[in-house]
Amino acid sequence: MTQSIKITGGVPLKGEVRVSGAKNAATKELVACLLTSEKVTLMNVPDIGDVSVTIDMLRGLGVSIEREGDRVTVDASTLTSPEVTEAFSRKNRIPILLFGPLLSRFGTAIIPALGGCKIGARPVDFHLTALQQMGTDIVCEDGVYRASIEGGRLHGAVIELAYPSVGATENVMLAAVLAKGTTMIRNAAIEPEIKDLAMLLQSMGAIIQLDVNQTWIIEGVESLHGATHRVIPDRIEAASFAVASVLTKGDVLIRGAVQDHMISFLNALRRIGGDFEMTSEGIRVFRVGEIKPSTVETDVYPGFATDWQQPFLILLTQADGVSIVHETVYESRFGYTDALNAMGANITIHTNCLGAKACRFSYRNHPHSAVVVGPTPLKAAKIEIPDLRAGFSYLVAALIAKGTSTITGVDLINRGYERIVEKLKGLGAEIEEVQ
Ligand code: EPU
């Protein structure tokens, strides 16, 4: 097991790297496979910690899963248990998505509390309220949710989300495909990973469509069947490599990166002095001139994703002037900046909304805006990773820091990035794993 990663900064990244399948699509799609007793095959499934945890969790429910390279075949005809054991509590955000499949298959579901990165309170009230609207009776005792269906089958409902939550949208979708009647999800999330989930469900026999104004409409069917589906490339990983290329004055072809999924990111990159070229194989990213300061506001899709914020902020530490990052998705996602300041960055965190618009965290004392003053040379450090996306941003910071950095807590990066050390090494980075 890797104990730490050592990186010596100063090498421009050059060459090609292939983006893996998207973590936030693959994990949900594994859950969707439980909606049928027929086999479902997923291709381009990344070999990462969150996928392994999800596979183990589904196996714990009796599901048979075979993995061959990036192809995973799920046979949920052997699903025997409606109870996700405590062993999977607080490991990631996936267990709560099992409500729909387990309720549809057994009429009951027992699911432990959630985990995932510590980047805010991350409540699940939208999920629970929506499932209740669809006829689920849910109680929470000692950190365990016990759910059952009033009347034998979930029923369709008009769900109006208070915020376009990714997880809540997926949860309702997974419950609605086999529910009686039609479900409408208004103010829903429409991230590419959710569209990918919808496409898998459609391939499995669901009737599901994206309507105008961020609305999903799902007409429940009696049963779903087997399918084969290819998971979309990971736009968060793609953006992370793009940042690393621009930051190190490199030139990297990011194979498999999809322009359509990254429009906001690519605009932001161009504004600060990065550039790119679309090729038939992916996106080639490089630097033109010095990095310019900018203002970035995270948002739900199609806005600038909150998971792009951390690597992008490292770029801003090298911009000549004052930049602002307004985080509007999570109320507390700047904890990782202390370590960057210790490396020489000049980042201050503020509770005011410092973006173009006031967000829902306005006047609530959440540390959700960052002012970055640059350019600041970074020096190597020993850093402990606090969460997945911050983890990649530390790797990126170390790539330009003077000296050799040691980064611990690597398991958190392995949760979401496949063969990251090998990929960076392939681009010429001076990086090694310490066992
Ligand atoms: N929220 C509520 N109540 C709810 C659900 C969400 O208040 O019931 C709030 C959250 O607290 C947060 C906001 O709504 O402030 C957005 O949360 P959302 O539900 O959209 O996030 P999620 O489904 O828990 C997924 C990704 C995150 C990504 C977000 C936003 C997965 C497993 N996780 O989380 O990815 O940042 O959507 O795009 O899909 C990551 O990959 O590192 C990661 C954190």
Side-chain angles (χ1 to χ4, degrees), residues 179-328:
K180 188 170 167 31
T182 300
T183 298
M184 180 184 264
I185 320 174
R186 291 202 185 122
N187 197 29
I190 54 166
E191 269 65 5
E193 295 76 18
I194 302 181
K195 289 187 195 155
D196 202 50
L197 173 65
M199 288 197 282
L200 166 65
L201 291 169
Q202 188 179 48
S203 302
M204 291 169 69
I207 301 178
I208 181 165
Q209 79 175 69
L210 180 56
D211 206 2
V212 291
N213 298 329
Q214 294 191 217
T215 300
W216 288 100
I217 298 176
I218 304 139
E219 295 169 44
V221 295
E222 292 297 321
S223 65
L224 296 180
H225 53 70
T228 297
H229 176 81
R230 188 173 176 81
V231 178
I232 52 166
D234 197 309
R235 67 194 165 106
I236 314 299
E237 187 196 4
S240 305
F241 280 114
V243 164
S245 177
V246 172
L247 193 67
T248 62
K249 299 188 178 155
D251 189 336
V252 176
L253 172 64
I254 305 166
R255 280 185 182 273
V258 180
Q259 181 181 12
D260 180 34
H261 299 169
M262 301 179 67
I263 292 177
S264 303
F265 173 83
L266 293 170
N267 286 337
L269 196 70
R270 183 166 273 159
R271 275 186 211 112
I272 60 111
D275 213 349
F276 44 86
E277 176 197 17
M278 300 307 154
T279 79
S280 56
E281 307 194 324
I283 307 178
R284 188 187 138 226
V285 180
F286 47 93
R287 165 92 78 95
V288 276
E290 293 310 306
I291 297 178
K292 298 189 277 277
S294 190
T295 302
V296 177
E297 202 153 30
T298 67
D299 214 332
V300 296
Y301 192 81
F304 188 95
T306 170
D307 297 324
W308 291 330
Q309 179 252 98
Q310 305 76 0
F312 201 83
L313 186 140
I314 311 292
L315 269 176
L316 298 177
T317 67
Q318 303 310 303
D320 189 3
V322 179
S323 298
I324 287 171
V325 182
H326 183 202
E327 169 62 58
T328 77

Side-chain angles (χ1 to χ4, degrees), residues 33-93:
C33 297
L34 270 56
L35 289 161
T36 175
S37 308
E38 296 184 18
K39 283 188 182 174
V40 179
T41 298
L42 299 176
M43 294 176 302
N44 201 30
V45 177
D47 187 6
I48 54 174
D50 264 15
V51 164
S52 302
V53 168
T54 306
I55 288 178
D56 288 348
M57 182 172 66
L58 301 187
R59 283 187 176 140
L61 298 171
V63 179
S64 310
I65 301 180
E66 280 173 28
R67 176 164 199 145
E68 235 189 287
D70 71 357
R71 172 186 285 258
V72 174
T73 302
V74 181
D75 176 357
S77 63
T78 54
L79 178 67
T80 46
S81 170
E83 178 168 3
V84 179
T85 59
E86 282 285 331
F88 295 99
S89 89
R90 303 190 192 282
K91 290 215 164 151
N92 65 18
R93 311 281 303 163

Side-chain angles (χ1 to χ4, degrees), residues 23-24 27-28 50 93-94 117 119 121-127 163-168 170 191 235-236 306-307 329-331 333 360-361 388-389 415:
K23 160 178 100 71
N24 291 344
T27 44
K28 325 300 175 62
D50 264 15
R93 311 281 303 163
I94 306 304
C117 289
I119 50 183
R122 305 192 82 181
V124 290
D125 49 333
F126 306 159
H127 300 242
Y163 183 79
S165 154
V166 168
E170 293 162 339
E191 269 65 5
R235 67 194 165 106
I236 314 299
T306 170
D307 297 324
V329 179
Y330 290 109
E331 71 275 23
R333 211 177 186 182
R360 67 206 163 102
F361 306 134
L388 172 63
R389 304 302 172 193
R415 265 188 56 200

